[in-house]
Amino acid sequence: MSDPDIQDIELNLFARGLQLRHGHDFTLYSPASFQRRVLALVENGGFDSIGALTARMLRDADYLPQILAGLSVPVSEMFRDPPVFAVLRERVLPMLASYPQINIWQAGCAFGQETYSLAILLQEAGLYERCRIFATDFSDIALDRAREAIYPARDARLYSQNYLAAGGQHSLSDYYHARYDHIKIDQGLQRNVTFLNHNLACDGVFCEAHLVVCRNVLIYFNDALQERALGLVRDSLVRQGFLCLGNRESLDNAPSRRDFESIDASARIYRLAPGTQ
């Protein structure tokens, strides 16, 4: 048996062990993406094989957060893809304003940059006081970073450029405090945000949402897991609620496409179709 064949077996055993031992199902993730992240865990952890990593995962529950952090993709920035946030500001939030209470679910929140971007949009639209943002990720390490709301000061210039390009009404520096080499998001933007552990691969519906933001998450799933995640979104949304996907994602070829109508194709923003429950 060749080494690649053995590696495939070890990957399958690792995924199966992670599911049986800890309840995290990665069996439907994109195989290439999953393999890259597992091999990075092997290298960064000093293991000599995936099998050795599997043994540590099975026997040391305290090591699980590091494994999940390595399998997650916490790459983001504030107001990433500014035109998307401009459409949310100009077309979606005015429609959400008709609700007395607004729930937003951000799935795959990573370190929280996009979560606080949403909070700023809501603040400037006068909606933040009646809004609750539920930001979820399967990595507790990422969630802890998001709760801290501390980011490198070197990123502030890019964040500010994105904010202005998204139609920002003030200066982004109004929403953070700079100290030494870091910026910290103002606590006022954190008061209506709840960070929760949730895995789209194996967890269920947990809230009723008016808007679901799930950007650059589905690209790491195979077709079956994408459809499961879209089913969760559909079941979470209120009647004619909104969905925002990433720029590299689309509903065009998904079976769930019939459940949604396009609001802005370039921004990947959809609305639950009338009559969809």
Side-chain angles (χ1 to χ4, degrees):
M1 184 177 291
S2 67
D3 288 345
D5 291 334
I6 294 174
Q7 187 176 91
D8 287 344
I9 292 171
E10 287 188 318
L11 276 169
N12 290 332
L13 291 174
F14 174 81
R16 185 62 174 153
L18 189 60
Q19 181 183 20
L20 291 173
R21 177 71 173 86
H22 300 291
H24 291 277
D25 186 0
F26 285 85
T27 58
L28 297 180
Y29 275 62
S30 167
S33 176
F34 183 64
Q35 181 182 37
R36 285 195 303 271
R37 281 161 180 77
V38 172
L39 291 177
L41 281 168
V42 170
E43 181 178 357
N44 295 336
F47 298 100
D48 58 12
S49 67
I50 298 174
L53 172 66
T54 302
R56 177 75 181 272
M57 174 267 293
L58 292 173
R59 293 176 171 81
D60 185 358
D62 292 337
Y63 195 63
L64 178 63
Q66 294 182 56
I67 289 176
L68 294 179
L71 294 176
S72 68
V73 190
V75 178
S76 190
E77 61 195 42
M78 294 194 75
F79 296 94
R80 185 180 185 181
D81 303 318
V84 174
F85 285 89
V87 174
L88 289 172
R89 181 194 297 274
E90 296 164 6
R91 299 191 59 185
V92 176
L93 295 191
M95 288 188 270
L96 294 184
S98 63
Y99 293 97
Q101 177 69 35
I102 305 165
N103 291 332
I104 296 176
W105 174 21
Q106 190 199 359
C109 67
F111 294 156
Q113 293 98 322
E114 289 194 0
T115 304
Y116 297 119
S117 302
L118 290 168
I120 291 170
L121 283 189
L122 292 159
Q123 179 75 19
E124 294 186 351
L127 300 176
Y128 190 66
E129 291 305 322
R130 51 188 166 112
C131 182
R132 170 67 65 181
I133 301 175
F134 298 95
T136 65
D137 203 280
F138 65 73
S139 168
D140 285 332
I141 290 177
L143 290 169
D144 287 343
R145 288 278 302 276
R147 292 185 187 100
E148 289 177 348
I150 297 174
Y151 306 106
R154 64 177 179 271
D155 296 333
R157 182 176 180 181
L158 172 61
Y159 294 172
S160 295
Q161 292 172 344
N162 288 349
Y163 165 75
L164 293 174
Q169 299 173 3
H170 304 288
S171 169
L172 187 62
S173 60
D174 294 339
Y175 298 107
Y176 65 77
H177 305 282
R179 187 174 183 183
Y180 303 117
D181 296 327
H182 293 85
I183 61 173
K184 180 172 175 57
I185 301 298
D186 186 87
Q187 288 187 342
L189 291 175
Q190 299 176 260
R191 66 187 184 278
N192 290 343
V193 177
T194 301
F195 290 102
L196 299 166
N197 190 297
H198 183 275
N199 192 333
L200 287 168
C202 50
D203 292 332
V205 173
F206 72 94
C207 77
E208 185 179 59
H210 300 83
L211 166 65
V212 175
V213 178
C214 183
R215 305 186 66 225
N216 306 305
V217 176
L218 299 185
I219 55 175
Y220 300 106
F221 297 169
N222 70 10
D223 290 346
L225 186 50
Q226 287 183 18
E227 192 59 22
R228 182 190 195 279
L230 290 170
L232 282 181
V233 169
R234 180 195 61 227
D235 295 342
S236 297
L237 285 171
V238 302
R239 182 171 298 179
Q240 291 195 277
F242 295 90
L243 166 64
C244 180
L245 296 177
N247 284 1
R248 294 168 56 195
E249 299 163 331
S250 172
L251 295 181
D252 289 348
N253 298 315
S256 293
R257 179 67 182 88
R258 63 185 180 274
D259 297 328
F260 295 88
E261 57 185 12
S262 177
I263 296 297
D264 189 294
S266 62
R268 302 296 196 269
I269 295 177
Y270 306 87
R271 193 173 192 179
L272 205 59
T276 302
Q277 300 297 321

